Amino acid sequence: MRSARFRRSRRAAAITLVSALSLTALAACGTSSSGDNSSDGAQQNGSFDPTTPLDPKTKVTLTIDCMPPAAKAPELKEWKEDVAEFNKTYPNVTIEGRSTPGQCLEPPRFTAMLKAKSQPDVFYTYFTDLPQVLAEDGAADISAYVNPSSVPALKDIDPNVLGSLKDDGKLYGLPTSNYTMGLLINRKLFKDAGLNPDAPPRTWEEVRAAAKKIAGLGEGISGFGEYSAGNQGGWHFTAQMYSVGGDVVDASGTKAAFNNELGKQVAKNLHAMRWEDDSMGKTQLLKWGELQKQISTDKLGMFLAAPDDIAYMAQQLGAEYENFGMGPIPGGKNTLAGGNNYMIKKGISGDKIKAAVAWLNFKNLTVGKGQFDWARTKADGLPVGIPQPNFWLNGSKMKDDAARVEHATMPVENFKTFMDNPVAGKAEPPKAQEVYKILDNVMSGLLTNKDADIDKLLSTAEAQVNQLLANQ
């Protein structure tokens, strides 16, 4: 399971350095295995049935992206255990994991891999990558292969999550994790300011009031924090627009949709918190990682975040799990959603696709097994209790939630408000990174200029986004 911080760093990175990568390095990272196309003859004869699960006697070899590196010893241990357990049912499927030093989905590597058709049989992507993958004709349509026989818990997977992996009604991937953005709070500062940490603000008016109280503690403490650089300001402006029922691009995907009363509402609230209330601190132009450091050192009361920021802060910054809590995104109309998944390379044999679906089902889509074996996760010293992945519904959700609580390594009650009040997630807009870069100017203008002309900031950004979308 990949951290949301890697998803964000990927979204914030450029994808213009493809020519700098060597194809030799790409081949070492992930080339599709050859041979083992045992079903080719049957497919050519018309007797191959994609709707039936893999026959355990079938012999294939699968290359799979993003095996944990040696530096992540517990995760790699679990990977190897899962391969051994999977092979008890499918002894003739050889799993060849491919591990990439550093960030598995570094943008230039990923883009060049697709263009070179050198991706593994089973390759890792983010929900937002589907258009790019399809543009390169890189993923197989697995619609016929994914059904209750091959993925028994299919009915319990959030259809909105599966919808992120579909195009024109066809399914191109299976989820590994997902997230929705909420309000992350510092429980200590809430208590110090006389606020209830078990009831995080649910409206932006309440956020503003709470931020003033927290900033009133002095000692350089800010009540609320926001990004305004590195495309992440625009990313969060989008999340705030979603939260009040707005959007940044219209339904047609061809026009900006933020220069309206809702956009002005979001902008005016942020400007007022920064300059009238002085509750956002004087240091601005912040990027991902800086708000996490502030809240981990008790210098920030709250900010919008994905749940796995908590694990990052505890594991990388030395913070205590107990000091954090989460509520749903204020406003609660919608929230920005994202996630990651695996796709299957187009052109491999039908039996390989079946084997890939069987592996993904075992590793990522079975409650109590693979990534959802919370007893093992706890025993291996990894965090349990973060409300993510969170794509289960119905009986699977009840069973998984109970296991997370039973084996939790953190106080899961701190996230109860977030879990008990889910907000519908919306995907990122088309041309997301380019749109976010433009909207960075809105956020930086609001937070660094006391005399900012809100109408002008929004109208200028609107014209730029409209030009961007017209050139698609």
Side-chain angles (χ1 to χ4, degrees):
M1 179 173 62
R2 299 293 291 177
S3 166
R5 79 185 165 100
F6 288 113
R7 289 194 295 274
R8 286 187 281 277
S9 63
R10 168 147 183 194
R11 285 199 297 264
I15 57 173
T16 58
L17 303 178
V18 175
S19 61
L21 290 178
S22 73
L23 293 179
T24 300
L26 287 172
C29 176
T31 56
S32 179
S33 59
S34 60
D36 295 324
N37 294 327
S38 58
S39 68
D40 284 355
Q43 292 176 72
Q44 291 172 5
N45 294 331
S47 61
F48 181 78
D49 183 359
T51 66
T52 60
L54 180 69
D55 186 333
K57 297 179 181 179
T58 302
K59 184 177 181 180
V60 296
T61 297
L62 284 177
T63 53
I64 301 180
D65 213 0
C66 296
M67 180 180 73
K72 292 189 173 183
E75 291 92 336
L76 181 58
K77 165 186 170 290
E78 293 182 354
W79 171 282
K80 292 178 178 179
E81 289 173 350
D82 287 339
V83 170
E85 184 66 23
F86 178 75
N87 282 151
K88 291 179 181 179
T89 302
Y90 300 103
N92 295 312
V93 176
T94 300
I95 301 292
E96 293 184 357
R98 301 294 168 87
S99 182
T100 307
Q103 186 182 336
C104 180
L105 283 189
E106 196 275 332
R109 185 198 78 89
F110 181 78
T111 299
M113 181 180 72
L114 288 176
K115 290 184 176 298
K117 308 298 183 187
S118 62
Q119 68 268 39
D121 300 321
V122 187
F123 62 102
Y124 186 95
T125 75
Y126 304 134
F127 290 175
T128 50
D129 290 328
L130 181 58
Q132 181 184 3
V133 173
L134 294 182
E136 297 295 341
D137 203 25
D141 172 9
I142 59 174
S143 306
Y145 294 85
V146 177
N147 54 64
S149 295
S150 60
V151 182
L154 184 63
K155 69 180 187 307
D156 288 349
I157 299 175
D158 186 340
N160 291 319
V161 172
L162 288 177
S164 299
L165 305 174
K166 292 181 178 180
D167 181 77
D168 196 25
K170 298 177 181 178
L171 182 66
Y172 290 95
L174 287 171
T176 301
S177 184
N178 70 309
Y179 74 92
T180 55
M181 200 174 288
L183 184 69
L184 179 64
I185 70 165
N186 180 302
R187 292 177 60 85
K188 176 183 181 299
L189 293 182
F190 263 62
K191 292 176 183 177
D192 291 349
L195 300 165
N196 182 1
D198 295 323
R202 299 290 293 275
T203 68
W204 286 106
E205 291 80 8
E206 291 176 356
V207 169
R208 185 177 177 184
K212 288 175 68 174
K213 289 186 177 181
I214 294 169
L217 295 171
E219 300 182 1
I221 295 171
S222 300
F224 181 74
E226 262 301 2
Y227 304 125
S228 51
N231 296 14
Q232 293 149 20
W235 172 45
H236 270 215
F237 185 87
T238 298
Q240 291 210 30
M241 284 294 293
Y242 287 1
S243 76
V244 295
D247 214 328
V248 294
V249 174
D250 70 4
S252 72
T254 61
K255 291 184 179 180
F258 52 81
N259 187 17
N260 51 34
E261 288 307 309
L262 289 177
K264 293 175 184 178
Q265 173 186 323
V266 168
K268 289 177 180 177
N269 186 61
L270 285 167
H271 191 264
M273 291 175 68
R274 169 69 178 94
W275 299 105
E276 295 177 26
D277 303 343
D278 194 23
S279 63
M280 295 185 68
K282 293 179 173 56
T283 302
Q284 296 300 325
L285 301 179
L286 301 174
K287 299 178 183 179
W288 198 95
E290 294 172 301
L291 294 178
Q292 287 79 0
K293 290 178 182 177
Q294 289 181 13
I295 202 168
S296 295
T297 54
D298 299 332
K299 292 298 183 182
L300 176 63
M302 52 189 161
F303 72 103
L304 298 182
D308 66 352
D309 278 18
I310 300 165
Y312 167 74
M313 293 186 296
Q315 293 179 302
Q316 302 297 322
L317 302 179
E320 299 292 334
Y321 288 115
E322 292 77 7
N323 200 29
F324 305 110
M326 279 197 81
I329 194 168
K333 298 293 186 181
N334 290 289
T335 186
L336 194 146
N340 46 358
N341 61 284
Y342 275 98
M343 294 183 183
I344 300 170
K345 185 176 183 179
K346 186 173 182 178
I348 67 173
S349 74
D351 277 338
K352 277 193 173 188
I353 295 177
K354 286 188 177 185
V357 171
W359 165 256
L360 295 174
N361 173 67
F362 170 78
K363 178 67 174 170
N364 299 322
L365 299 173
T366 302
V367 174
K369 300 289 186 180
Q371 70 163 335
F372 292 107
D373 185 346
W374 299 118
R376 179 182 67 174
T377 303
K378 180 179 181 179
D380 289 337
L382 297 170
V384 179
I386 296 172
Q388 180 183 334
N390 189 28
F391 53 67
W392 291 126
L393 303 173
N394 309 318
S396 293
K397 177 175 174 58
M398 293 176 62
K399 184 177 178 181
D400 183 60
D401 285 352
R404 291 194 209 207
V405 171
E406 179 184 356
H407 302 291
T409 59
M410 62 191 72
V412 294
E413 62 272 14
N414 289 1
F415 318 119
K416 181 176 173 59
T417 306
F418 177 80
M419 293 296 289
D420 289 352
N421 299 276
V423 177
K426 288 182 65 173
E428 294 178 278
K431 295 279 188 178
Q433 283 308 309
E434 295 94 328
V435 170
Y436 295 162
K437 183 177 182 179
I438 293 169
L439 290 174
D440 264 2
N441 296 324
V442 175
M443 290 292 270
S444 62
L446 295 171
L447 300 179
T448 64
N449 183 4
K450 184 176 182 179
D451 299 318
D453 185 333
I454 290 175
D455 289 345
K456 185 175 181 180
L457 284 172
L458 292 175
S459 62
T460 299
E462 177 187 34
Q464 293 172 340
V465 169
N466 283 342
Q467 182 177 7
L468 168 71
L469 297 176
N471 294 330
Q472 291 188 87

